C-alpha cells in the first residue's frame, strides 16, 4: 500500500473563469471535488495502481504562482513536514510561472528527504477537455507513490526532472518545462523508464527526515528562516549592452529591506561589461557584504570562472557553473535566511548541496 499526499497551492490546473472571464484558481475543497470526478481518480485512488491512494490538502489562500514569495516556500515545506510520516510521497500542485523557483527552494529547505516530493501543474486548466492537466496529475501521483526517488522533482509532459535543474521553457506548449543541463530522472510512456543512476542517494539516519528528531530540528530551522526573510532582499539583474553603473548602485542602495545578495544574468560564460565604473559598483557591493552571483542568460551551458578576461570573478562574483538562475536565486535566499555570513554563503553557493550544480574546470 502506498499513500500520496497532494498539496494544492493554486495555479492554472485549478483555474476557472471569474465573472470578468479571467482565470482564477478555485478554493481547495472545490478543487478536490473536481479531481474526484476525474477518470481514474475517484475514491481517492489511482486507477491501474492497486493499493495507491491519495489525500489532499490546500493552502488557506490559493495563489497564482506569479504571486508566490519565499515565505510561501517555507509554508509549503512546513506542510510537507506536517504529514511526512503518514505518507510515502508528495505532490505539490503549483502554477507554472514560478514552479522552478519553488522546486529549487524546497530542495534546499528540505535536506534529508527520503521520499519523493513532486511539483506538477498544467498549461491548461483541469476543467478544459483538451488539457494537459489530467495526465500531468495522474503521472505525478503514480510516480510519487511508486518511485523511491529521494528528492524534489518537477513532473511535466511525461518527464520527471530534478526540481533544482528545471526551468519553464515554453509558455504555451504542453512541454512547458525542460532541464537544459541535466537529464530527466525518469520518463513516462507505456512504461516508466527510470534513470536511477542519477538520483540523489538516500540520506543516512543522522539527517533523514524519516527520523522524528530530524523533522523537529528542520521545523525549528524553518521557523528561524521564515523570521529572517523580512530582513533582507535578493534582487536579480539582467545585464544588457550599455548597462550603467548607476543602475547597479540604484538597485542595491534603493532596495528595501537592504540587499544581501544579487543574482546577475550575465552574457555567455558569465561575461559582463568592462566599464570601470560598472565593475567598481559590483566590487563595492562585494566589499559591503553583498553576495554577488554570476549566472548566464543562456539556457544551456555553464559559467566558467576565469574563462575570459571579461569574467566577473575579479570583482568578487561567485560563478554559478551550470546552476539555473532560479536555483541560484532560491539557494541564495535560503542560505541568507539561515543566518550564514557572506564568506560561508559564497562557499556554499559554489558547492553542490542538493544536486543543483556540477563543478566544471575552466
Amino acid at each position: 500500500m502506498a499513500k500520496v499526499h497532494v498539496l494544492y497551492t493554486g495555479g492554472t490546473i485549478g483555474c476557472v473563469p471569474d465573472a470578468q472571464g479571467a482565470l482564477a484558481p478555485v478554493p481547495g475543497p472545490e478543487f478536490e471535488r473536481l479531481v474526484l470526478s476525474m477518470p481514474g481518480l475517484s475514491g481517492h485512488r489511482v486507477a491501474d495502481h492497486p493499493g495507491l491512494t491519495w489525500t489532499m490538502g490546500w493552502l488557506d489562500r490559493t495563489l497564482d504562482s506569479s504571486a508566490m514569495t519565499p515565505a510561501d516556500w517555507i509554508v509549503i515545506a512546513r506542510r510537507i513536514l506536517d504529514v511526512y510520516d503518514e505518507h510515502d510521497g508528495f505532490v505539490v500542485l503549483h502554477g507554472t510561472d514560478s514552479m522552478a523557483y519553488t522546486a529549487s527552494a524546497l530542495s534546499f529547505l528540505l535536506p534529508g528527504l527520503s521520499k519523493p516530493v513532486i511539483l506538477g501543474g498544467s498549461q491548461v486548466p483541469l476543467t478544459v477537455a483538451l488539457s494537459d492537466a489530467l495526465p500531468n496529475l495522474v503521472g505525478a501521483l503514480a510516480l510519487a507513490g511508486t518511485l523511491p526517488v529521494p528528492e524534489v522533482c518537477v513532473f511535466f509532459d511525461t518527464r520527471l526532472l530534478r526540481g533544482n535543474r528545471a526551468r519553464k521553457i515554453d509558455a504555451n506548449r504542453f512541454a512547458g518545462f525542460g532541464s537544459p543541463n541535466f537529464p530527466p530522472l525518469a520518463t513516462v510512456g507505456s512504461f516508466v523508464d527510470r534513470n536511477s543512476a542519477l538520483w540523489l542517494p538516500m540520506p543516512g539516519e543522522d539527517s533523514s527526515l524519516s527520523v522524528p528528531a530530524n523533522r523537529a530540528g528542520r521545523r525549528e530551522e524553518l521557523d528561524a528562516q521564515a523570521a529572517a526573510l523580512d530582513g533582507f532582499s535578493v534582487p536579480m539583474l539582467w545585464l544588457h549592452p550599455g548597462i550603467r553603473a548607476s543602475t547597479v548602485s540604484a538597485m542595491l542602495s534603493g532596495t528595501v529591506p537592504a540587499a544581501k545578495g544579487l543574482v546577475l544574468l550575465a552574457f555567455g560564460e558569465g561575461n559582463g561589461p568592462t566599464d570601470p565604473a560598472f565593475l567598481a559598483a559590483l566590487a563595492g557591493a562585494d566589499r559591503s557584504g553583498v553576495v554577488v552571483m554570476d549566472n548566464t542568460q543562456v539556457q544551456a551551458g555553464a559559467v566558467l570562472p576565469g574563462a575570459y578576461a571579461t569574467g566577473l570573478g575579479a570583482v568578487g562574483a561567485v560563478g554559478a557553473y551550470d546552476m539555473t538562475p532560479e536555483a541560484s536565486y532560491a539557494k541564495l535566499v535560503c542560505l541568507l535566511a539561515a543566518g550564514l555570513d557572506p564568506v560561508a554563503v559564497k562557499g556554499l553557493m559554489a558547492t553542490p548541496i542538493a544536486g543543483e550544480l556540477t563543478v566544471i574546470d575552466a
Side-chain angles (χ1 to χ4, degrees), residues 73 100-110 164 326-327 330-331 334:
W73 302 341
Y101 289 93
T102 300
S104 296
L106 291 177
S107 75
F108 306 124
L109 293 172
L110 294 171
N164 56 36
E326 295 89 342
K331 184 178 181 180
C334 291

Side-chain angles (χ1 to χ4, degrees), residues 36-217:
L36 285 167
S37 72
M38 291 291 113
L41 296 177
S42 62
H44 290 93
R45 295 185 177 277
V46 180
D48 303 323
H49 291 276
L52 178 54
T53 63
W54 57 273
T55 61
M56 184 174 287
W58 44 80
L59 300 185
D60 294 336
R61 181 173 61 94
T62 52
L63 296 170
D64 183 294
S65 74
S66 60
M68 282 275 179
T69 69
D72 295 309
W73 302 341
I74 293 180
V75 170
I76 294 170
R78 283 171 171 159
R79 292 290 295 272
I80 292 170
L81 289 180
D82 287 346
V83 294
Y84 193 85
D85 202 36
E86 297 86 41
H87 296 83
D88 303 291
F90 308 89
V91 171
V92 179
L93 295 178
H94 195 287
T96 61
D97 286 346
S98 67
M99 186 186 295
Y101 289 93
T102 300
S104 296
L106 291 177
S107 75
F108 306 124
L109 293 172
L110 294 171
L113 276 177
S114 57
K115 305 174 183 181
V117 173
I118 300 178
L119 279 79
S122 64
Q123 299 280 52
V124 180
L126 187 58
T127 53
V128 176
L130 183 58
S131 171
D132 58 332
L134 185 57
N136 283 352
L137 174 55
V138 172
L141 281 167
L143 293 178
T146 62
L147 221 59
V149 52
E151 52 182 291
V152 178
C153 308
V154 166
F155 179 72
F156 222 87
D157 191 48
T158 76
R159 294 189 298 170
L160 186 72
L161 310 174
R162 176 165 292 163
N164 56 36
R165 295 283 194 157
R167 304 200 72 187
K168 186 172 182 181
I169 59 172
D170 198 294
N172 306 114
R173 293 186 304 126
F174 286 172
F177 281 80
S179 181
N181 288 322
F182 202 76
L185 302 180
T187 305
V188 175
S190 57
F191 63 94
V192 177
D193 182 13
R194 303 184 180 197
N195 204 351
S196 54
L198 297 176
W199 299 357
L200 294 177
M202 280 287 177
E205 190 172 345
D206 59 331
S207 61
S208 175
L209 291 177
S210 293
V211 178
N214 294 337
R215 289 200 303 277

Side-chain angles (χ1 to χ4, degrees), residues 271-325:
N271 302 315
T274 55
D275 171 43
F278 173 80
L279 294 175
L282 291 177
D286 177 68
R287 287 193 302 271
S288 69
V290 176
V291 178
V292 180
M293 287 302 301
D294 184 11
N295 279 75
T296 177
Q297 302 169 14
V298 183
Q299 281 279 353
V303 170
L304 300 180
Y308 289 95
T310 54
L312 297 170
V315 295
V318 180
Y321 294 101
D322 60 349
M323 189 161 44
T324 68

